[in-house]
Amino acid sequence: MSDLKVKLETDLSVAMKARDEVRTRTLRMALTAVKNEEVAGKQARELSDEDVVKVLTREAKKRREAATAFGDAGRAEQAQAERDEGAVLEEYLPAQLADEELTALVADAIAETGAAGPRAMGQVMKVVNPKVAGRAEGGRVAAEVKRQLAE
């Protein structure tokens, strides 16, 4: 079993004993998402820490999108609940790249591939994505690649 999944389960029992409702609810949801991912597909499999991070990243993104949607609809309480859950999930994710770091990684990838123009975006993304691995959202990476290729 992945170390991260074990940590999630351990933290869940600590949160339940502490009667921390937000943390308990969030960790239950995260573990359910991990277990669903394990049984998705033709045969059950054990997820690596990297796979668990991907699942948690996806869940954190859902929380951000839901918080925005609730906020736009004037439902501040639900928006705050989603942000609280997102904050709990962020604790289990790798630190996000700063803008400068992302800019440098993209610049290196463009230099490495010799890419030029917007059509080369796929080429650059293939090189950048493994280096970024969960430390920046795909949309953010794509926007930076697009920006640098347009220059």
Side-chain angles (χ1 to χ4, degrees), residues 21-134:
E21 286 180 30
V22 172
R23 187 170 281 284
T24 300
R25 179 179 67 228
T26 306
L27 293 176
R28 274 192 178 137
M29 172 276 308
L31 282 165
T32 299
V34 168
K35 287 175 181 150
N36 287 342
E37 187 69 23
E38 287 176 334
V39 297
K42 290 189 175 152
Q43 72 184 56
R45 62 192 168 97
E46 188 108 346
L47 297 183
S48 65
D49 276 353
E50 196 177 291
D51 294 331
V52 173
V53 166
K54 285 179 186 168
V55 171
L56 294 180
T57 302
R58 193 169 54 228
E59 292 299 320
K61 182 179 180 191
K62 285 181 190 174
R63 297 296 160 288
R64 277 193 301 280
E65 290 169 353
T68 304
F70 281 133
D72 293 347
R75 295 169 67 182
E77 204 171 292
Q78 285 97 334
Q80 188 56 51
E82 294 291 339
R83 279 194 289 277
D84 293 345
E85 288 182 8
V88 171
L89 290 172
E90 293 292 330
E91 294 173 25
Y92 296 93
L93 295 172
Q96 294 293 298
L97 286 173
D99 290 339
E100 305 81 52
E101 294 172 296
L102 182 59
T103 303
L105 278 173
V106 171
D108 291 348
I110 290 173
E112 188 181 315
T113 59
R119 288 188 172 180
M121 189 165 172
Q123 245 182 310
V124 177
M125 291 295 284
K126 274 185 199 156
V127 174
V128 172
N129 278 334
K131 293 177 183 172
V132 170

